[in-house]
Amino acid sequence: MPRPFVAYLRVYEPLSAFDEAVAGRLREALDTNHLDHATVGERERDMWLRSQLSVPPTLLPGELANGEPSPRALRDVLVLDPAEVPIDQATVGPGPLVCPLDVRARSAAALVGFLTSSHPALRAVALTASTDSVREKAAAVLSDLPGGAVHIVSTTWTVPLPWFTLVDPQHRHIVVATREDPRRQVCWRVAMADARRRVAKAHSLAERVLGDQGPTKVLEDTGRWLEHFHPHSAVELDYGGLVQLLDDEELVEDTSAADVNAIVEALEREDVEEIAARFESLRDFWSDLAVRERFN
């Protein structure tokens, strides 16, 4: 079974960023069996399937039948060595850096979005409890988040182009294995201070040239999200399961990060031709994935 076709933006924080109760659980996870990039997608899918197959089904993955968080899910964490993070003008660490999966809270946030945007008829079919009780439960889960934000945001089938402004294109980490091999990977890592500086510059230019909607709104939301975390954290942009949809040549020759960063520089110069050429390149690369999503 393929990995979920999901891309991720993750934040890894030093243990000192967490209160002692949370840090204790994370240390226990470090000493036992933390996750890695090859297994994290399967773990998230397993949690979701268990939540739907339990009797009765639980509202959110990563919780027990009584609605309390699962002790195992609280210890689900990815780990990163600060030495794996390219540094421009920042400090990262001390290590190890940890990224809790926050699957229960991420699902609660998605549920709030579903309640806000879905048709009443769809909500009636999808939910077994009242809208008010579901909204109340989701809000309670989100209010318990340490620091007030999940450590991971994700998208299906594509990568939001504004995310590429956070990273240096030259710092791409790529593993070309078979499509079925979970080690197949494309990601970038960046120090938190560098990521904040880069996204702030991109937001300022986009707002001036493009207005406050579209890419500008994504940049604003991303910048606000990053402010929730320790300044010595690291940020990771990971293609996740999307690498299964790209052949080796597409994976190696992908210039998305370079194209987006070139657009930011072109916005500064007000170089319309460069912007148009780079957008065309990005459109050509990502259009095949857009078609797959439409027919899935």
Side-chain angles (χ1 to χ4, degrees):
M1 182 180 294
R3 286 178 284 162
F5 301 125
V6 178
Y8 303 92
L9 197 59
R10 304 185 180 100
V11 171
Y12 294 77
E13 292 192 278
L15 282 171
S16 59
F18 301 90
D19 64 39
E20 189 51 41
V22 176
R25 292 197 300 266
L26 296 176
R27 289 191 192 96
E28 182 180 344
L30 294 175
D31 292 338
T32 53
N33 187 29
H34 58 265
L35 299 166
D36 59 30
H37 290 84
T39 58
V40 66
E42 292 181 4
R43 171 60 178 151
E44 291 182 346
R45 180 170 55 200
D46 177 68
M47 292 173 69
W48 183 84
L49 288 173
R50 287 177 182 273
S51 72
Q52 299 304 300
L53 296 176
S54 65
V55 181
T58 56
L59 180 62
L60 299 171
E63 68 180 19
L64 303 174
N66 63 5
E68 294 298 314
S70 161
R72 180 187 174 189
L74 290 172
R75 293 190 294 270
D76 282 337
V77 61
L78 286 162
V79 182
L80 186 64
D81 187 331
E84 299 178 72
V85 183
I87 295 173
D88 186 3
Q89 303 173 18
T91 299
V92 175
L97 302 172
V98 295
C99 175
L101 251 58
D102 293 335
V103 171
R104 182 168 177 258
R106 288 161 56 200
S107 299
L111 191 54
V112 170
F114 174 76
L115 292 175
T116 302
S117 61
S118 61
H119 190 278
L122 179 58
R123 293 199 298 269
V125 173
L127 301 176
T128 58
S130 70
T131 298
D132 288 343
S133 65
V134 170
R135 194 185 304 276
E136 182 179 341
K137 171 63 180 293
V141 170
L142 292 172
S143 67
D144 289 338
L145 272 174
V150 295
H151 286 74
I152 303 173
V153 291
S154 59
T155 61
T156 55
W157 296 99
T158 191
V159 177
L161 296 181
W163 284 6
F164 288 108
T165 64
L166 276 66
V167 303
D168 184 332
Q170 298 183 19
H171 293 159
R172 181 175 65 162
H173 172 75
I174 180 169
V175 177
V176 180
T178 64
R179 295 198 195 199
E180 297 77 22
D181 192 328
R183 293 173 297 176
R184 185 178 179 90
Q185 184 184 26
V186 170
C187 73
W188 290 260
R189 291 155 187 159
V190 58
M192 174 61 76
D194 292 333
R196 288 175 178 171
R197 174 177 52 80
R198 295 171 70 90
V199 77
K201 175 183 177 181
H203 175 258
S204 177
L205 289 168
E207 187 175 41
R208 188 185 75 195
V209 178
L210 305 175
D212 58 2
Q213 299 300 313
T216 307
K217 185 65 167 63
V218 176
L219 290 166
E220 179 182 21
D221 292 343
T222 303
R224 288 179 176 174
W225 175 64
L226 294 177
E227 291 296 331
H228 283 89
F229 303 104
H230 194 283
H232 295 169
S233 302
V235 183
E236 179 180 67
L237 170 54
D238 184 6
Y239 276 16
L242 300 188
V243 295
Q244 301 163 110
L245 303 174
L246 302 168
D247 63 33
D248 291 354
E249 182 178 358
E250 290 171 322
L251 218 60
V252 172
E253 296 185 359
D254 171 26
T255 59
S256 297
D259 289 333
V260 171
N261 279 269
I263 287 172
V264 173
E265 295 174 359
L267 287 172
E268 196 166 20
R269 302 191 308 270
E270 298 185 0
D271 186 340
V272 177
E273 292 185 1
E274 175 75 4
I275 294 170
R278 295 288 184 166
F279 267 123
E280 183 176 359
S281 174
L282 289 163
R283 183 192 60 201
D284 291 345
F285 182 82
W286 291 101
S287 60
D288 286 345
L289 296 184
V291 169
R292 290 171 186 256
E293 178 183 16
R294 188 160 60 248
F295 289 100
N296 184 271

